[in-house]
Amino acid sequence: MYTTELQKTKPVASTDPADKLAAFEARVAADEFIEPKDWMPEAYRRTLVRQISQHAHSEIVGMLPEGNWITRAPSLRRKAILLAKVQDEAGHGLYLYSAAETLGTSREEMIEALHSGKAKYSTIFNYPTLTWADMGAIGWLVDGAAIMNQVPLQRTSYGPYARAMVRVCKEESFHQRQGYEIMMHLAAGTDAQKRMAQDALNRWWWPSLMMFGPPDENSPNTAQSMRWRIKRETNDELRQKFVDITVPQAEAIGLTVPDPDLKWNEEKGGYDFGEIDWSEFYAVVKGEGPVAKERMRARVKAWEDGAWIREAADAYAAKQAERNAA
Amino acid sequence: MSKDWPLWEVFVRSKGGMAHRHVGSVHAPDGEIAVKHARDTYTRRMEGVSLWVVRSSDIHASDPADDAQNFDPAQDKIYRHPTFYDIPEGITHI
């Protein structure tokens, strides 16, 4: 799962020494990796902490819409697959939190920021999962969009982030395939099943396109992030690629992309597609998604319900340390 | 809100004969739980046959600012490489 940069911080006057900054820019321009102990501009560190922690939060919150369906999966096979996928999302969140921590933030701070509503996560998870077909649509479209975003990030300039992305991408491709397989089976099923698949595509298509973030002209930090190799392709480039590969996948299983303006453009070698409703996007970013409050409630409840086991582990570790000292 | 458990660096041996390699980190109250967390987090797909965890605070690292003095001297000692030496034609197995 992936979130594009959702929270902008106001630019602050740089106090970075010019010679160090120049050396840093040259290293990044030469595609070298920056490692935790290397000198880096404050804005680079800040942008990365924000981007990586938002990405981590998205993985963690991303477990909720799918967790909703684990007990209702239609077969043991589907249930085992869904469990494995949700467990992967937890793992991805942990890889990313670890990567963010190398920049000097703590796990505690990040989790606190998520639970208090200060931190953002991908808007896509604030939509409800109404039917089993949503598990198909999420795997196929949401994980598909995530992969599209994450593949270039394997070459991002910050070493720990890039390495986390390599692991994530390797694991993510099964997520997309299992989702497409669900859609494929439903689309080839009874009329009611086919309608269910089409309905899921209708509801998830536009939010998936929004996952790539605001259009380039409204994404003021893109230029700097591209120069710093924090981002490797722009929001619009990635969105276009996603549309171009996904439309034929929908057609192949007899589903229709819910966009009357969708049309192959021979000249550009890609699809033209309709206007995205950005007012919806910004409303969801602000926490007005249909199930935003429910998601955070579930997340905080899980954390609080697990407190006793963290305390027990602490008490056990303290007891063992005491015995070893004696 | 509890405070964070200590951080542990995780190393995985991918198969017998290979060295343990750093893969990331986990939080845990002690080594035993750190190994369990490392197993769940980093070896869900047969990534390894053995795990090491080390308290992150126990790792001492070189300072990147000292890279030049630490690592550059090797550059002017090319006589450490076999290709530095000219061996006449016809002499083999050396």
Side-chain angles (χ1 to χ4, degrees):
Chain A
M1 302 293 182
Y2 176 81
T3 178
T4 191
E5 208 190 329
L6 299 171
Q7 235 168 358
K8 311 287 183 198
T9 44
K10 289 190 195 79
V12 270
S14 164
T15 51
D16 297 320
D19 55 331
K20 285 192 166 176
L21 188 60
F24 172 87
E25 297 269 1
R27 283 186 66 192
V28 170
D31 272 333
E32 279 184 40
F33 286 101
I34 304 301
E35 294 295 339
K37 285 170 71 84
D38 292 339
W39 185 90
M40 60 188 84
E42 258 325 292
Y44 177 83
R45 186 185 297 276
R46 223 172 30 238
T47 307
L48 273 174
V49 167
R50 192 179 55 232
Q51 183 172 325
I52 301 173
S53 61
Q54 283 177 3
H55 195 161
H57 297 326
S58 302
E59 303 284 352
I60 297 298
V61 179
M63 288 190 281
L64 298 171
E66 290 178 303
N68 184 31
W69 280 92
I70 290 174
T71 56
R72 290 176 288 165
S75 68
L76 187 57
R77 177 180 183 271
R78 293 286 181 208
K79 185 172 182 167
I81 291 170
L82 189 58
L83 264 174
K85 178 184 190 296
V86 172
Q87 190 190 14
D88 272 354
E89 306 301 356
H92 298 176
L94 296 178
Y95 306 157
L96 287 157
Y97 281 131
S98 298
E101 284 174 270
T102 64
L103 290 157
T105 181
S106 71
R107 185 77 59 100
E108 189 182 3
E109 279 174 85
M110 289 186 278
I111 290 183
E112 167 62 24
L114 174 66
H115 291 181
S116 70
K118 217 178 98 202
K120 303 290 179 200
Y121 54 88
S122 188
T123 51
I124 196 87
F125 306 118
N126 287 337
Y127 292 88
T129 43
L130 304 177
T131 71
W132 171 252
D134 288 18
M135 297 304 97
I138 287 181
W140 172 35
L141 302 173
V142 175
D143 287 274
I147 291 169
M148 194 60 83
N149 264 317
Q150 288 169 158
V151 163
L153 287 175
Q154 295 178 98
R155 295 176 295 115
T156 194
S157 61
Y158 189 58
Y161 192 23
R163 291 191 287 275
M165 281 301 99
V166 171
R167 299 184 75 82
V168 167
C169 287
K170 206 158 66 183
E171 298 180 355
E172 199 100 60
S173 65
F174 115 70
H175 297 181
Q176 191 186 16
R177 284 189 175 209
Q178 64 86 34
Y180 190 65
E181 191 197 59
I182 290 173
M183 292 302 256
M184 204 159 62
H185 283 223
L186 288 174
T190 63
D191 284 348
Q193 286 171 325
K194 187 166 181 182
R195 271 199 307 278
M196 190 191 277
Q198 182 63 53
D199 166 66
L201 173 58
N202 292 351
R203 283 181 292 110
W204 290 94
W205 175 254
W206 292 104
S208 298
L209 294 193
M210 293 178 200
M211 280 179 74
F212 295 94
D216 293 346
E217 71 262 23
N218 287 335
S219 184
N221 295 351
T222 290
Q224 174 162 286
S225 287
M226 297 279 283
R227 196 177 77 244
W228 280 347
R229 310 282 204 264
I230 292 173
K231 217 170 175 168
R232 308 280 333 215
E233 286 173 73
T234 72
N235 298 351
D236 287 334
E237 283 165 5
L238 290 167
R239 189 167 13 245
Q240 181 68 52
K241 268 196 196 176
F242 177 76
V243 171
D244 292 344
I245 66 158
T246 309
V247 171
Q249 292 169 354
E251 284 168 354
I253 55 175
L255 296 179
T256 310
V257 171
D259 178 357
D261 298 323
L262 189 77
K263 204 169 146 244
W264 178 254
N265 181 330
E266 190 63 50
E267 206 173 309
K268 81 170 178 186
Y271 286 91
D272 290 330
F273 52 95
E275 273 300 306
I276 293 171
D277 179 4
W278 291 110
S279 58
E280 175 183 323
F281 173 79
Y282 288 110
V284 180
V285 168
K286 275 196 304 196
E288 291 164 22
V291 291
K293 290 195 179 67
E294 189 182 320
R295 294 281 182 255
M296 254 334 92
R297 260 202 309 275
R299 174 66 207 134
V300 171
K301 183 177 186 301
W303 178 254
E304 285 171 357
D305 287 355
W308 69 273
I309 202 163
R310 292 191 297 274
E311 284 157 19
D314 269 334
Y316 179 77
K319 191 172 80 184
Q320 292 303 111
E322 214 169 281
R323 274 197 193 150
N324 290 341
Chain B
M1 178 109 212
S2 61
K3 68 174 181 21
D4 279 337
W5 280 333
L7 196 61
W8 302 74
E9 298 304 318
V10 179
F11 299 81
V12 176
R13 185 200 295 286
S14 59
K15 57 181 179 186
M18 305 297 277
H20 284 78
R21 188 169 161 210
H22 183 246
V23 291
S25 49
V26 292
H27 286 275
D30 59 37
E32 202 183 323
I33 294 182
V35 169
K36 287 186 175 23
H37 285 178
R39 180 229 167 242
D40 286 345
T41 309
Y42 294 103
T43 58
R44 290 192 304 281
R45 286 177 174 77
M46 299 177 291
E47 283 89 344
V49 295
S50 163
L51 280 165
W52 283 354
V53 295
V54 181
R55 280 284 284 262
S56 307
S57 56
D58 287 340
I59 292 182
H60 295 262
S62 61
D63 185 342
D66 297 335
D67 279 0
Q69 64 182 34
N70 277 336
F71 307 116
D72 282 358
Q75 298 256 359
D76 57 18
K77 294 186 179 64
I78 51 171
Y79 45 82
R80 283 177 169 158
H81 298 280
T83 47
F84 176 74
Y85 303 92
D86 287 330
I87 302 295
E89 282 284 318
I91 296 180
T92 55
H93 304 299
I94 183 163

